[in-house]
C-alpha cells in the first residue's frame, strides 16, 4: 500500500514538471494557437485552452484502462495524473481565473504566491517571452512577498 501511495505522489509531482514543460515548449510552442486566447483579457466561457485538459486526460484514461482490474501500478499513475488535473483546475481555473465565482479570498501565503506568479505569467501576451510556466511550484520571491503583505 505504501508503495502505491508513493507511486501516486511521484506521478503527481512529475505532472507539475510535465505541465511546466508542456506550457513552456508546447503551449507557447507549436500549439500556441490553442493557448493564445488564454493570454487575452476577457476570454470566452469555453477557451481553446481547454483542449489541453483533454490532452492530459488521455494518458490518464489509458493508464486507468490498463490498470483498474488488478489495481496495478498503472492505476496509481493514472490516479496521480487525475489528482493533479483536478488540483490544477481548482487552482488555475477557479481560484485564479474565477471561471466559477468561488475561493476568491484567501489568507494562505502559498495560494497568494501561486496567484501572483501566474498573473505575472499572464502579463506576457506573446508566444515567445514568458515566465512562471509552472503552477504549484512557486518562485520563492513571490512566497516571501505574499508573507510580507500578510503581516
Ligand atoms: Zn501561457
Ligand atoms: Zn496560462
Ligand atoms: Zn491562466
Amino acid at each position: 500500500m505504501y508503495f502505491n501511495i508513493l507511486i501516486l505522489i511521484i506521478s503527481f509531482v512529475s505532472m507539475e514538471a510535465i505541465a511546466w514543460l508542456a506550457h513552456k515548449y508546447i503551449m507557447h510552442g507549436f500549439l500556441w494557437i490553442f493557448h493564445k486566447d488564454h493570454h487575452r483579457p476577457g476570454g470566452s466561457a469555453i477557451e481553446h485552452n481547454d483542449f489541453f485538459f483533454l490532452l492530459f486526460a488521455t494518458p490518464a484514461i489509458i493508464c486507468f484502462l490498463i490498470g483498474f482490474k488488478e489495481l496495478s501500478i498503472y492505476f496509481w499513475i493514472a490516479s496521480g495524473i487525475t489528482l493533479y488535473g483536478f488540483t490544477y483546475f481548482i487552482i488555475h481555473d477557479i481560484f485564479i481565473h474565477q471561471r466559477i465565482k468561488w475561493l476568491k479570498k484567501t489568507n494562505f501565503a502559498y495560494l497568494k504566491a501561486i496567484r501572483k506568479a501566474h498573473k505575472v505569467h499572464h502579463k506576457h501576451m506573446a508566444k515567445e517571452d514568458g515566465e512562471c510556466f509552472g503552477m504549484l511550484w512557486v518562485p520563492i520571491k513571490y512566497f516571501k512577498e505574499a508573507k510580507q503583505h500578510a503581516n
Side-chain angles (χ1 to χ4, degrees):
M1 192 64 199
Y2 288 122
F3 178 73
N4 294 333
I5 298 298
L6 187 70
I7 294 295
L8 189 149
I9 291 168
I10 291 170
S11 166
F12 184 94
V13 172
S14 307
M15 277 306 290
E16 172 70 12
I18 291 166
W20 185 89
L21 287 169
H23 192 181
K24 190 172 167 80
Y25 295 106
I26 298 175
M27 295 158 87
H28 283 253
F30 70 100
L31 290 182
W32 168 247
I33 190 156
F34 288 104
H35 188 54
K36 194 165 66 177
D37 66 342
H38 185 62
H39 276 270
R40 293 228 172 93
S44 49
I46 303 288
E47 297 175 357
H48 287 103
N49 196 47
D50 296 329
F51 161 77
F52 292 104
F53 268 102
L54 289 178
L55 200 71
F56 284 118
T58 307
I61 291 164
I62 293 168
C63 286
F64 266 129
L65 289 176
I66 301 170
F68 84 100
K69 255 190 178 160
E70 285 120 26
L71 296 188
S72 69
I73 188 169
Y74 292 103
F75 175 85
W76 300 98
I77 292 171
S79 304
I81 298 173
T82 307
L83 201 66
Y84 183 83
F86 190 68
T87 309
Y88 194 100
F89 185 79
I90 301 261
I91 292 194
H92 178 256
D93 295 86
I94 297 179
F95 170 64
I96 297 175
H97 290 300
Q98 290 287 301
R99 290 176 78 177
I100 301 168
K101 305 277 170 253
W102 186 45
L103 302 174
K104 197 165 188 164
K105 284 214 155 71
T106 179
N107 291 316
F108 285 111
Y110 174 59
L111 286 178
K112 282 182 181 167
I114 284 180
R115 184 166 56 194
K116 180 70 204 284
H118 193 66
K119 294 282 179 189
V120 168
H121 175 72
H122 272 280
K123 274 202 183 130
H124 302 275
M125 304 279 217
K127 171 186 173 185
E128 289 78 16
D129 55 7
E131 54 191 312
C132 299
F133 289 95
M135 184 52 55
L136 304 180
W137 179 264
V138 189
I140 195 84
K141 63 173 175 178
Y142 297 117
F143 192 71
K144 281 183 181 155
E145 246 181 62
K147 273 206 122 157
Q148 267 167 10
H149 290 165
N151 299 323

